[in-house]
Amino acid sequence: MERSNKTAIALAWNFFKGNYALNFAVIAILILLNLLGMVPIIGLLFILAYSILSLSVQIYFGRGVDKAQRPEDMAEFAAQSKIGDVLSSYLHVATGAFLALFAISLVFMALFGMAVEMSGGMEAMRNGVAVQAQMEAMLTKSGVIGAIFLLIAAFLFYFFPAVMGRVIRSDTFVDGFKNVFLLFSPSMWKACFNKEYFILVLVWSLILMGVGIVMILFSATIVLLPVVLVIAYLLSLYNAAIYVFADDLAKE
C-alpha cells in the first residue's frame, strides 16, 4: 500500500463509510464529553477524558491501518468493530501517551514563562510607569524569545508524526509514555530526514492548514456545525494514518 496523503484520506473515508452507526456514535460521545468539559470545576475531568478517548480512537484506527493491505480493507475493519473496542482497546496506551504529551507541554510553558520573566517583558507589562523606550526594549526581547520557542516547536513538529506512529504501535502504558519522548531523540531525527518523509509531512501540513481554514469558516454558521464535527473526526482518522506512514518512512 502506497504511503501517501491520498492513501491516508482513502483509509479514513473507507473506515467512516464502512460503519456509519459506529462512527456517529463515537462522534456523539466525544461531543458529549466536550460539552461536559464546560461544566465548572469537574469539567476538567471530562476534558481529560475527551483527550484520552480521542487518542484511543486514533490508536485503534492506526492499528487497523497497520494491518490493511489496501484502503478498501478499512471498510470491513469498521464493519467488524464495536464501539467498546474503538474507545477502550488501547485506552492504556492512549493514557500513557497523553500524560507524556501533557508533561512536555507543561515544561515548555514553564520554560517560556521563565524566559519571558527573565527578559523583563512581564515586568514591563506590569509596570505602568516604565518609560516607553524601556518597555519597547523589554517587549522586543520577549518577542525574540517567543520566536525562538516557535522555531523549536516547528522543528519538533516535523518529527511529531513519526513519534505518534510509534505510539500507535505501542502495546503498554509504559511504551506509550516512553515513545512520546522519542520527539527528543537524535536517532529519530536522523531517521526522519529523507525525501519520502519530508514530502509526506509537508503535504500533510498543507492539508491541515487548508482544512483548518475551512472548519473555521464553516463554524461561523450554526447550520454547518455538524459538518464541521464530522470533518474534525475524519481529520483525526486521517492524521492517525499519516502517523503510521510516517513511522514506516522514518525506519527506511
Side-chain angles (χ1 to χ4, degrees):
M1 187 165 57
E2 182 185 9
R3 302 181 185 100
S4 68
N5 281 270
K6 182 179 179 181
T7 304
I9 292 172
L11 287 163
W13 177 245
N14 276 285
F15 183 83
F16 185 75
K17 73 176 185 179
N19 194 335
Y20 287 116
L22 169 74
N23 286 289
F24 278 117
V26 172
I27 292 173
I29 291 172
L30 293 177
I31 290 174
L32 178 61
L33 289 173
N34 210 356
L35 292 174
L36 290 173
M38 300 178 185
V39 177
I41 303 176
I42 63 171
L44 179 60
L45 296 177
F46 291 108
I47 293 175
L48 293 175
Y50 169 82
S51 302
I52 293 173
L53 278 180
S54 297
L55 185 53
S56 184
V57 172
Q58 285 188 305
I59 294 173
Y60 180 85
F61 173 80
R63 298 293 282 251
V65 170
D66 215 12
K67 299 173 184 176
Q69 299 298 317
R70 55 198 181 97
E72 291 75 16
D73 291 345
M74 293 304 291
E76 182 179 353
F77 178 64
Q80 296 174 351
S81 299
K82 298 179 180 179
I83 190 167
D85 296 332
V86 176
L87 294 175
S88 63
S89 291
Y90 299 100
L91 199 58
H92 55 299
V93 178
T95 302
F98 172 78
L99 290 177
L101 289 169
F102 185 68
I104 291 172
S105 299
L106 285 181
V107 170
F108 265 83
M109 286 190 291
L111 289 175
F112 178 73
M114 290 172 57
V116 172
E117 184 70 30
M118 291 175 64
S119 74
M122 295 299 294
E123 183 63 29
M125 288 184 280
R126 289 195 296 264
N127 188 0
V129 298
V131 295
Q132 183 177 356
Q134 182 181 8
M135 182 177 289
E136 289 179 353
M138 291 179 178
L139 292 178
T140 297
K141 290 181 182 178
S142 299
V144 171
I145 291 172
I148 293 174
F149 271 82
L150 186 62
L151 286 174
I152 294 174
F155 175 77
L156 295 177
F157 179 76
Y158 176 77
F159 311 106
F160 183 77
V163 170
M164 290 305 296
R166 198 66 59 86
V167 167
I168 286 174
R169 286 171 167 145
S170 301
D171 294 318
T172 66
F173 171 92
V174 174
D175 287 341
F177 184 87
K178 290 196 309 183
N179 282 335
V180 170
F181 291 94
L182 290 174
L183 196 61
F184 306 102
S185 169
S187 60
M188 174 62 82
W189 299 349
K190 182 179 179 181
C192 292
F193 282 120
N194 61 72
K195 180 181 177 181
E196 292 76 14
Y197 182 92
F198 174 79
I199 293 175
L200 180 77
V201 173
L202 175 62
V203 176
W204 171 67
S205 302
L206 295 175
I207 290 175
L208 285 186
M209 290 176 58
V211 174
I213 293 173
V214 171
M215 289 175 62
I216 291 173
L217 294 175
F218 280 15
S219 297
T221 306
I222 297 179
V223 177
L224 295 175
L225 194 55
V227 178
V228 174
L229 297 174
V230 172
I231 292 175
Y233 178 70
L234 284 169
L235 187 63
S236 71
L237 299 182
Y238 159 69
N239 286 342
I242 290 296
Y243 298 158
V244 173
F245 291 166
D247 186 33
D248 288 338
L249 295 175
K251 293 177 180 178
E252 296 180 351

